[in-house]
């Protein structure tokens, strides 16, 4: 009887170990926000004021140079530098993308 309970205990521990290996950090379907190429879109959301702009915020774990472009021909909006572990808000003229 003791062997039976030991066997059940070992099977249970093996199943727990398999479950732990499926954690999000090891899951191949887990997506990160890190990368080099991002596509994004903006829905219409105007204020009633006269100053309209679009703002994106870029963060990085390391110092990085950021290039912001738009459209199928990748028209340059600007090049920016973001410091390590910092965030950089980038404002884009609303008329540029309207």
């Amino acid at each position: 009887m003791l062997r039976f309970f030991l066997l059940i205990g070992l099977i249970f521990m093996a199943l727990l170990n398999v479950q732990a290996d499926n954690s999000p950090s090891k899951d191949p379907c887990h997506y990160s926000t890190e990368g080099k190429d991002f596509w994004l879109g903006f829905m219409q959301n105007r204020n009633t004021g006269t100053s309209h702009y679009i703002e994106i915020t870029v963060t990085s774990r390391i110092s990085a140079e950021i290039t912001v472009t738009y459209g199928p021909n990748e028209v340059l909006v600007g090049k920016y530098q973001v410091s390590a572990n910092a965030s950089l808000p980038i404002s884009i003229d609303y008329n540029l993308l309207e």
Side-chain angles (χ1 to χ4, degrees):
M1 189 66 150
L2 179 60
R3 287 184 184 176
F4 174 75
F5 284 116
L6 285 175
L7 181 61
I8 295 297
L10 288 173
I11 291 172
F12 181 71
M13 291 181 73
L15 289 175
L16 283 178
N17 191 25
V18 168
Q19 183 66 21
D21 286 342
N22 291 331
S23 63
S25 62
K26 295 183 180 183
D27 183 4
C29 294
H30 179 74
Y31 290 102
S32 171
T33 58
E34 295 181 0
K36 294 182 178 184
D37 187 25
F38 297 95
W39 293 58
L40 53 122
F42 299 96
M43 295 178 64
Q44 185 176 358
N45 187 11
R46 294 187 201 175
N47 255 342
T48 57
T50 58
S51 169
H52 301 295
Y53 65 93
I54 296 170
E55 184 174 273
I56 58 175
T57 302
V58 179
T59 61
S60 180
R61 289 184 301 127
I62 59 173
S63 295
E65 183 177 295
I66 309 300
T67 303
V68 178
T69 61
Y70 73 92
N73 297 326
E74 295 191 12
V75 177
L76 180 67
V77 172
K79 292 188 177 196
Y80 308 92
Q81 187 73 28
V82 62
S83 301
N85 298 316
S87 62
L88 174 69
I90 300 172
S91 295
I92 303 170
D93 182 18
Y94 189 81
N95 293 318
L96 186 63
L97 302 176
E98 172 76 5

